[in-house]
Amino acid sequence: MRVEILTKNENQEVQKGIISKLRDLINYKNLEPGDKLPSERMLSEKFEVSRSNVREAIQKLEFFGILKSRPQSGTFIANIGRVAMSGMLDDILRLEDPDFKSLVETRILLELKTVRLAALRRTEEDLEKMRQALDAYRQKVLDGKDAVEEDLLFHLAIANASKNSTMNTFMLIITPEIITNFEKYHVCDNNQSFLGIQEHEDIYQAIKNQDPKMAKEKMKVHFKILYQYCYNIKD
């Protein structure tokens, strides 16, 4: 069995190629809203790419509302007009990767919303997941180890507690890119990691107390360095 190991840029080009071929297939077959696409296996063979590549492309088009997958049934064209769908596909193919600063800015905007919702909607199970991530972060920092992943896991737990699936999905999409680039762009120093222990604790307590206003304020405090990074704010 041949295993494909692609770089990020190569994978992006493969994804664009598959989406382009799906667009051509939809047009050639005159597929209408509600029509079913061929199986992942058939598309994989037709496009000469791996099934995982096909699956990723389909998931991307699902995210933009162009396709819909139904368990045990397959993948179907969403209920949107053909002209609109064609335009959306063209736009998706033209999308450029966001720069790191844009990702961080998006994260700030999202989390100021999700933390308020989390304070209103959190469950005991949500609090337990936050606590586990928070404790793991504290231990990594005290041991002098990199804790970026544990930091973001805590924030993902907050997003999950918001019970807003769309915002949670956005966080899941941008998080891997942030993890990859945090050290590269030197956003936070070691001292900030130690300060983060108490800042995380303050956010957690506000969510636990179901105080959305305080939760948002504590998140703003936690994001001070990110604000400075995004907007070139000086102390």
Side-chain angles (χ1 to χ4, degrees), residues 139-233:
Q139 192 59 54
K140 277 282 192 78
V141 172
L142 294 179
D143 289 342
K145 298 178 181 178
D146 180 270
V148 172
E149 283 193 36
E150 287 72 21
D151 181 11
L152 288 166
L153 283 173
F154 175 69
H155 289 273
L156 286 175
I158 293 173
N160 189 61
S162 75
K163 310 306 179 193
N164 184 303
S165 59
T166 301
M167 285 196 283
N168 192 33
T169 298
F170 276 127
M171 279 293 292
L172 289 169
I173 289 172
I174 67 176
T175 294
E177 193 75 13
I178 291 175
I179 290 177
T180 302
N181 288 292
F182 242 95
E183 186 174 345
K184 174 182 175 183
Y185 289 98
H186 307 291
V187 178
C188 300
D189 57 25
N190 291 334
N191 184 55
Q192 189 61 33
S193 297
F194 280 98
L195 292 175
I197 295 175
Q198 186 58 53
E199 290 170 358
H200 281 162
E201 189 66 44
D202 291 342
I203 294 167
Y204 172 81
Q205 289 300 328
I207 293 173
K208 184 178 180 180
N209 294 335
Q210 297 188 298
D211 187 336
K213 184 177 180 180
M214 181 60 69
K216 182 177 179 180
E217 288 305 310
K218 293 301 182 182
M219 186 66 80
K220 282 185 176 180
V221 171
H222 183 51
F223 280 164
K224 178 183 176 182
I225 297 298
L226 296 186
Y227 273 112
Q228 291 173 342
Y229 173 75
C230 284
Y231 307 116
N232 297 316
I233 299 173

Side-chain angles (χ1 to χ4, degrees), residues 107-120:
R107 179 191 171 191
I108 292 172
L109 295 172
L110 280 173
E111 291 212 60
L112 292 180
K113 295 291 185 182
T114 57
V115 75
R116 291 186 72 259
L117 294 176
L120 295 169

Side-chain angles (χ1 to χ4, degrees), residues 40 43 54-62 67 69 75:
E40 287 181 3
L43 290 173
V54 171
R55 190 175 304 115
E56 287 177 17
I58 288 174
Q59 288 173 345
K60 185 171 185 176
L61 295 182
E62 279 189 272
L67 300 178
S69 290
T75 304

Side-chain angles (χ1 to χ4, degrees), residues 31-67:
L31 296 179
E32 301 285 347
D35 286 347
K36 184 178 179 180
L37 285 182
S39 67
E40 287 181 3
R41 179 183 60 79
M42 293 177 66
L43 290 173
S44 171
E45 293 173 357
K46 184 177 181 64
F47 299 158
E48 298 182 333
V49 294
S50 70
R51 289 183 65 174
S52 63
N53 287 142
V54 171
R55 190 175 304 115
E56 287 177 17
I58 288 174
Q59 288 173 345
K60 185 171 185 176
L61 295 182
E62 279 189 272
F63 175 76
F64 286 105
I66 292 173
L67 300 178

